[in-house]
Amino acid sequence: MGRNKDALVAGNVQSRSESSELTPLMIQYLSIKEEHKNDVLFFRLGDFYEMFDSDALEVSRLLNLTLTHRGSSPMCGIPYHAAKIYIARLLRCGKRIAICEQVSEPNGKTLTERKVIEVITPGTALESEYLDGGANNFLACLCVQKGRAGFAYIDVTTSDFFATSWYEADMAENFSKELGRSHPRELLLPQSLEKNEIIKNALMQNEEIAVSYYPDWNFDQSLSYKRLLSQFKTANLQSFSLDEKSPEVAPSGFLLDYLQKTATTNSPHVTGIKVYRDSQFVIMDDSSRRNLEIVQNLHDGSSQFSLLECLSHTQTAMGKRLLRSWLLYPLTNCDEIHSRQNHVELFTSNRNLLEYVHETFADILDIERLAGRIAMERAHAKDLQALKTSLAAWLQVRSQLESHGFTRTEKSLAEQIVSLINDSIIDDPATALGEGRIIKEGWSKELDEYRRIHDNVNKILEDYAEEEKTATGIQNLRIRNNNLTGYYIEITRGKADAVPPHFILRRSLTNADRYTTNRLQEIEKQIGEAELKITETEKALFLAVRAKIAEHTAYLLQTAKEVAYTDVTSALAYAALLHGWVKPLVDNSKHFVVRSGRHPVVELHLPSGEFVPNDIEISAEKTDDDGVLPYFALITGPNMAGKSTYLRQNALIALLAQIGSFVPAKEAHIGIVDRIFCRVGASDNLARGESTFLVEMTETAYILRTATEKSFVIMDEVGRGTSTEDGLSIAWAVSEYLLNALKCKTLFATHYHELTRLNHPALKLLCMDVSEEADKITFLRKIKEGASENSYGIHVASLAGVPQSVIRRANEILGSLHSDAALAENGVNVGNLQTAQSASEKTLEKSLAMPGLFSDEELVLDEILSSDPDDMTPRQALDLVARWKKSLSGR
Ligand code: ADP
């Protein structure tokens, strides 16, 4: 802090409430700040949290707060009671906030003791104000040791804890894939990875994640192993598929350590970890996931116009989170998919039940996070009430579902928790202990007794006021109280003469005086005692109720999972009925057959009935006589004809089928796919210094290296980012490789018509139908067998409003290109694309050079404008005019 430090210690910064403590206070501040260099320090001074120096500069900019200066030191502050709003905003900016509180009472003599009681970070925040109800709040960690990378992430609010691993050599694909789908709010990394280019690149794509680095010794394998054992209270980690050497151990252990040390969060409800392997879910690299716009759109990153939007009929926060995770982790296990499908079908075939669940679930709050808050001793009385109403609603629904395998938990335990809360907590309790009533009458004899005294004391107070009114004859005598003076008798000035001598004057106001009496002080003491006892007893009783419920945390978390599952399956049923989707046949074959398939998102945003459904039939299965079926569809057609939509709709149908959902089609047979690749369009990644073409080729390389026979590949316009010759050659070679080496189901859209000359038994030619009547061209959006004959690019240019003169000229050039290309083609071997292509490129050059590219008028005008009459003899001028006349009169 250099100069600022001096300024602070010299007393340039004054507190709003403790100016007398100035210099020692700032020394105290600086020593605490030294410990929290990476955090924004909220330094409590009276009723404010103050920030100084660089913290003040940054926070005032981020939160638009007024920056004040004392001497050369900037400062800004926020009232402590409004802190949550500001903290939430800072967390969204990826900041960590250290809350420094006054831990001793200010006595005016010595410096109030201060301590950081909590560090709130984006990935460890617990309060609902800081969380997005519909998404998990993951804190993640990556470690690399001995050539293996381990990645773990935890949402401490819900107890979801996951880990996976991969070989260091596969870092590029895996890190961005895992980061993209887990989407953590905060990521912890060892310092040795700070300069790693792959990690840096992936983080550049995810700038909203708060990243911090820690010395490598923190990520100790054996210490982490012990931490996990003690957290899960097990003798080994076999049941979690982990051992002492598993790469997942170090990052998982560090996460627990971080939660405890940094965020001072004990998380007894975290009792296990799910270690998963890639093969359990459909593998989708980060760019395929983004391109398919599954949970967010490419345009602004919101869920509008994404697949999630079409399915968003969940009623609870837990369901919303689960739906998201289903979409990001589609299944590869047939039985699991069937089980989900059957539950969806139960609702589609029983609409009354669906309606009932849908309505009742509207009353269910976030049981999962409530259970977490209870286990972490953070829940207040209103949280318990929320748990009660939620469990009661779930109990109603579950009795209707019991025979259908939605629930395995014991009903009676939920009933017991509901009655416990019902009997102990009042219906609309105060939030904080000591701020009002919490415990119901009849729950504790002891508490009822204190309340009786307390209420009686109040009565005594009223009686005493009556007594004094009669004795003094002062009818408007009132007994009041405030925090400062406590109880007092207020008498207006006009009655001052009637005030008896045993009244002791406390304060004089403009219109009234305030008195006390010995009797009043005695009553006040009784009230104070009773109030204290009530608060103390209420607190103890409340904590006992909460602790009792906390014993059932595992049960509550399991119930939350059942609620979420029911919510998601019913939401999928709701979407299926609303949009007219069908249950697909999902099996372990390699077929992919869809009749009347639709793109769920495009259809949703088009007027009803305008979306044109399309079929697809490809299969990587062998025929009975060991021949091949078509598994590679080459799709040609003009721009804007609907190729991309067709490609994506089929990838989305595969994905929907594998999350257990119904699909937008009349009929579908989906053989389970292990990976979905979606290479669509060209997207520059200039921030990373990569050109469109390099990105395109990197993604293509990834597909060619990793696709298997069970994969589903959609490729749109591969090779577009380079010269025509290069691009066509690459597209050709990539197609051959997919056809001959990988043999996976592929939809390949291209504008290179030459590709349709590919000859392979597994190749199927499809094109988008176009109707040409007179001069009118209509895109029918209908897929049909065969190759497209025309690219209609000029038609699209015209639709886009390119001036008609340019369109006319483009048509002229196209005409001459076609006739020249036809000539060239006659002399060219059909397989020899290089030559064919060069011929058409040469034609273009010729065409551009040929006379007639500019009109005579334009040429004359150009000469007039470029001539200089001052620099001409009369003879030269005459010659020029003659030449112009000649060239124009030849028209
Ligand atoms: P291409 O990839 O051939 O350039 P797109 O798939 O981008 O074409 O489609 C262009 C537009 O046509 C889309 O914005 C969409 O609104 C519309 N469209 C595509 N397919 C259909 C369809 N099957 N039915 C109705 N409209 C469609």
Side-chain angles (χ1 to χ4, degrees):
M1 260 191 236
R3 189 179 56 84
N4 285 334
K5 179 170 173 170
D6 295 336
L8 286 168
V9 180
N12 275 329
V13 178
Q14 288 183 345
S15 80
R16 286 180 160 93
S17 61
E18 295 186 55
S19 50
S20 58
E21 298 178 351
L22 210 57
T23 305
L25 177 74
M26 292 327 297
I27 293 170
Q28 184 188 49
Y29 168 80
L30 290 170
S31 78
I32 296 174
K33 180 66 199 172
E34 182 68 21
E35 299 264 297
H36 290 275
K37 282 190 197 125
N38 297 328
D39 309 331
V40 172
L41 184 62
F42 271 35
F43 192 70
R44 182 72 180 267
L45 287 172
D47 285 347
F48 282 79
Y49 286 119
E50 300 286 6
M51 281 142 276
F52 301 109
D53 298 317
S54 53
D55 281 354
L57 290 174
E58 186 173 29
V59 171
S60 65
R61 181 176 53 80
L62 291 173
L63 302 186
N64 209 7
L65 295 179
T66 311
L67 192 67
T68 54
H69 280 87
R70 300 280 175 156
S72 57
S73 292
M75 68 182 277
C76 67
I78 51 165
Y80 88 98
H81 57 81
K84 277 189 177 171
I85 304 165
Y86 295 99
I87 294 173
R89 285 168 60 195
L90 286 174
L91 288 172
R92 277 200 292 279
C93 301
K95 297 282 147 207
R96 300 159 42 105
I97 300 109
I99 309 286
C100 175
E101 288 293 356
Q102 301 176 169
V103 292
S104 68
E105 283 298 315
N107 59 15
K109 290 183 204 127
T110 51
L111 184 64
T112 311
E113 207 185 316
R114 286 183 177 77
K115 224 165 90 181
V116 170
I117 52 142
E118 189 181 14
V119 179
I120 307 171
T121 75
T124 63
L126 301 174
E127 303 297 322
S128 49
E129 289 87 342
Y130 309 150
L131 302 169
D132 170 2
N136 271 110
N137 200 69
F138 284 122
L139 167 73
C141 175
L142 171 81
C143 278
V144 183
Q145 280 165 7
K146 299 191 182 124
R148 301 268 296 166
F151 183 69
Y153 46 104
I154 185 167
D155 179 347
V156 72
T157 66
T158 62
S159 84
D160 287 316
F161 195 4
F162 300 99
T164 190
S165 63
W166 55 82
Y167 286 100
E168 193 180 353
D170 301 326
M171 181 66 91
E173 292 106 40
N174 284 297
F175 182 55
S176 54
K177 179 186 76 194
E178 292 299 341
L179 205 60
R181 64 179 176 181
S182 60
H183 202 70
R185 296 273 307 270
E186 185 177 357
L187 174 69
L188 316 174
L189 293 171
Q191 259 161 8
S192 55
L193 293 180
E194 200 164 354
K195 302 238 153 52
N196 183 306
E197 283 302 318
I198 296 174
I199 309 263
K200 274 188 355 201
N201 276 342
L203 293 178
M204 249 186 225
Q205 294 271 301
N206 293 279
E207 275 173 342
E208 62 291 347
I209 302 175
V211 183
S212 42
Y213 295 88
Y214 295 86
D216 283 43
W217 52 260
N218 282 289
F219 303 82
D220 181 83
Q221 182 81 5
S222 72
L223 216 68
S224 287
Y225 188 78
K226 286 189 199 128
R227 270 186 204 124
L228 292 170
L229 289 184
S230 104
Q231 176 75 34
F232 303 153
K233 300 193 174 50
T234 49
N236 58 49
L237 298 178
Q238 268 169 17
S239 56
F240 307 109
S241 317
L242 293 175
D243 61 33
E244 283 96 331
K245 296 205 172 79
S246 308
E248 292 89 349
V249 167
S252 311
F254 183 64
L255 287 178
L256 293 176
D257 186 46
Y258 180 84
L259 279 170
Q260 205 166 42
K261 291 212 185 106
T262 311
T264 48
T265 305
N266 274 329
S267 27
H269 57 308
V270 178
T271 53
I273 183 165
K274 280 198 196 100
V275 177
Y276 61 90
R277 302 276 160 257
D278 252 358
S279 57
Q280 281 171 267
F281 305 109
V282 176
I283 302 173
M284 238 184 299
D285 59 286
D286 194 45
S287 94
S288 295
R289 198 180 40 76
R290 284 174 196 257
N291 283 333
L292 284 174
E293 304 188 296
I294 298 168
V295 293
Q296 52 186 167
N297 69 37
L298 282 169
H299 172 62
D300 63 6
S302 75
S303 65
Q304 233 204 337
F305 302 106
S306 72
L307 182 59
L308 178 63
E309 186 194 17
C310 305
L311 302 171
S312 283
H313 299 288
T314 48
Q315 292 286 61
T316 70
M318 295 158 283
K320 217 170 167 188
R321 291 196 292 271
L322 186 66
L323 175 61
R324 214 184 158 82
S325 116
W326 281 17
L327 284 167
L328 294 172
Y329 300 82
L331 300 173
T332 51
N333 180 300
C334 211
D335 294 340
E336 286 178 54
I337 296 172
H338 288 163
S339 160
R340 287 186 187 176
Q341 277 187 335
N342 293 340
H343 283 129
V344 176
E345 193 171 35
L346 181 86
F347 287 118
T348 53
S349 57
N350 189 341
R351 292 192 188 202
N352 287 340
L353 181 64
L354 175 61
E355 285 296 332
Y356 180 67
V357 168
H358 210 67
E359 264 170 37
T360 319
F361 268 32
D363 289 337
I364 297 188
L365 294 152
D366 200 338
I367 299 177
E368 201 168 31
R369 283 190 168 148
L370 288 169
R373 291 174 60 78
I374 292 170
M376 289 186 282
E377 300 177 349
R378 297 227 167 204
H380 45 65
K382 277 198 193 311
D383 288 334
L384 299 196
Q385 276 301 344
L387 181 68
K388 182 188 88 179
T389 36
S390 305
L391 286 179
W394 168 238
L395 279 168
Q396 279 181 45
V397 170
R398 65 169 274 162
S399 60
Q400 311 250 353
L401 297 173
E402 237 141 47
S403 55
H404 302 291
F406 282 94
T407 163
R408 261 175 276 139
T409 51
E410 245 181 276
K411 182 175 160 191
S412 60
L413 207 44
E415 288 167 342
Q416 282 170 32
I417 296 172
V418 170
S419 23
L420 172 63
I421 301 172
N422 197 40
D423 295 345
S424 59
I425 310 288
I426 67 169
D427 290 344
D428 187 17
T431 311
L433 292 164
E435 271 185 9
R437 295 207 164 183
I438 286 179
I439 300 290
K440 242 186 197 167
E441 220 166 303
W443 179 249
S444 150
K445 282 211 173 76
E446 195 191 357
L447 177 66
D448 289 351
E449 183 57 21
Y450 289 131
R451 281 190 180 149
R452 202 187 55 75
I453 299 171
H454 177 263
D455 295 349
N456 256 343
V457 169
N458 278 339
K459 173 91 173 50
I460 296 167
L461 210 55
E462 281 161 25
D463 289 351
Y464 176 57
E466 280 308 311
E467 211 177 278
E468 291 290 5
K469 269 186 208 169
T470 322
T472 58
I474 306 171
Q475 282 313 308
N476 61 359
L477 172 154
R478 298 260 178 282
I479 297 184
R480 294 211 161 104
N481 94 348
N482 67 23
N483 288 343
L484 209 67
T485 9
Y487 286 91
Y488 56 84
I489 300 171
E490 191 166 275
I491 294 174
T492 48
R493 271 287 157 80
K495 303 284 178 192
D497 293 347
V499 173
H502 69 278
F503 274 37
I504 309 154
L505 184 65
R506 275 274 183 91
R507 231 178 140 187
S508 284
L509 307 176
T510 327
N511 299 321
D513 290 322
R514 289 176 180 177
Y515 300 89
T516 186
T517 65
N518 290 341
R519 173 87 182 109
L520 185 60
Q521 281 169 351
E522 200 179 302
I523 297 171
E524 188 168 6
K525 195 166 155 235
Q526 278 179 326
I527 295 174
E529 273 171 10
E531 264 173 9
L532 193 70
K533 284 285 181 199
I534 289 170
T535 314
E536 275 174 6
T537 322
E538 269 209 314
K539 184 173 175 188
L541 291 168
F542 171 75
L543 294 182
V545 170
R546 193 173 70 181
K548 184 86 203 136
I549 300 171
E551 286 171 18
H552 305 297
T553 304
Y555 171 82
L556 289 174
L557 290 172
Q558 180 56 31
T559 303
K561 295 258 175 283
E562 289 176 1
V563 171
Y565 181 88
T566 314
D567 195 14
V568 175
T569 43
S570 63
L572 292 180
Y574 200 93
L577 290 173
L578 191 68
H579 307 307
W581 295 0
V582 296
K583 178 179 172 183
L585 167 64
V586 177
D587 59 19
N588 280 315
S589 72
K590 292 183 199 138
H591 296 305
F592 190 87
V593 183
V594 179
R595 305 260 173 252
S596 297
R598 285 116 56 201
H599 190 299
V601 186
V602 176
E603 184 181 37
L604 187 69
H605 291 280
L606 280 179
S608 172
E610 278 200 11
F611 191 91
V612 182
N614 275 311
D615 299 344
I616 175 95
E617 181 163 357
I618 49 174
S619 173
E621 291 285 332
K622 291 254 180 332
T623 58
D624 291 343
D625 54 358
D626 224 19
V628 292
L629 290 166
Y631 50 77
F632 184 108
L634 185 75
I635 300 135
T636 46
N639 274 327
M640 285 297 288
K643 299 187 298 300
S644 298
T645 308
Y646 180 69
L647 257 53
R648 285 164 192 243
Q649 92 186 22
N650 286 305
L652 292 179
I653 287 173
L655 187 136
L656 281 169
Q658 290 190 223
I659 69 163
S661 167
F662 283 22
V663 298
K666 280 214 172 115
E667 198 186 328
H669 179 179
I670 311 293
I672 287 178
V673 304
D674 63 352
R675 291 151 196 260
I676 296 176
F677 297 98
C678 174
R679 167 66 228 124
V680 175
S683 56
D684 257 331
N685 197 341
L686 297 177
R688 286 200 306 200
E690 291 174 3
S691 73
T692 308
F693 188 60
L694 181 61
V695 174
E696 186 181 330
M697 286 302 112
T698 311
E699 290 177 11
T700 306
Y702 174 66
I703 298 175
L704 300 185
R705 265 191 297 114
T706 46
T708 75
E709 253 187 43
K710 292 207 80 175
S711 303
F712 187 61
V713 176
I714 66 171
M715 284 195 148
D716 198 357
E717 304 286 14
V718 164
R720 190 174 222 172
T722 182
S723 77
T724 317
E725 281 181 4
D726 274 1
L728 175 57
S729 315
I730 290 169
W732 187 282
V734 166
S735 305
E736 278 185 348
Y737 192 77
L738 285 160
L739 275 160
N740 296 325
L742 299 175
K743 301 188 174 133
C744 49
K745 285 166 278 184
T746 306
L747 303 184
F748 196 106
T750 184
H751 64 291
Y752 294 124
H753 293 260
E754 293 83 349
L755 269 190
T756 56
R757 295 182 213 138
L758 257 167
N759 193 3
H760 195 284
L763 176 76
K764 180 177 207 161
L765 295 184
L766 296 177
C767 65
M768 302 306 298
D769 204 3
V770 175
S771 111
E772 273 181 276
E773 270 173 28
D775 247 2
K776 195 167 168 333
I777 293 163
T778 315
F779 294 147
L780 300 174
R781 318 274 191 227
K782 196 77 194 159
I783 199 94
K784 63 172 188 181
E785 300 233 346
S788 159
E789 282 138 28
N790 203 331
S791 68
Y792 303 97
I794 299 174
H795 172 65
V796 176
S798 163
L799 284 182
V802 172
Q804 276 311 306
S805 57
V806 176
I807 298 291
R808 266 199 308 279
R809 180 64 189 141
N811 272 319
E812 272 171 42
I813 296 176
L814 184 71
S816 82
L817 273 174
H818 276 165
S819 54
D820 279 21
L823 282 178
E825 200 155 297
N826 287 336
V828 161
N829 177 346
V830 169
N832 188 345
L833 287 160
Q834 205 94 348
T835 330
Q837 204 45 41
S838 314
S840 76
E841 287 218 330
K842 278 187 197 126
T843 312
L844 180 65
E845 275 164 30
K846 241 192 324 173
S847 157
L848 291 176
M850 70 189 177
L853 191 59
F854 297 105
S855 67
D856 292 333
E857 288 95 322
E858 282 169 316
L859 292 172
V860 170
L861 199 63
D862 187 52
E863 249 188 295
I864 296 175
L865 289 174
S866 55
S867 61
D868 184 2
D870 293 338
D871 200 24
M872 260 180 224
T873 62
R875 177 77 219 169
Q876 283 170 327
L878 272 177
D879 282 347
L880 259 183
V881 174
R883 190 146 57 80
W884 290 338
K885 182 160 186 225
K886 192 174 163 209
S887 74
L888 293 180
S889 56
R891 293 163 69 224

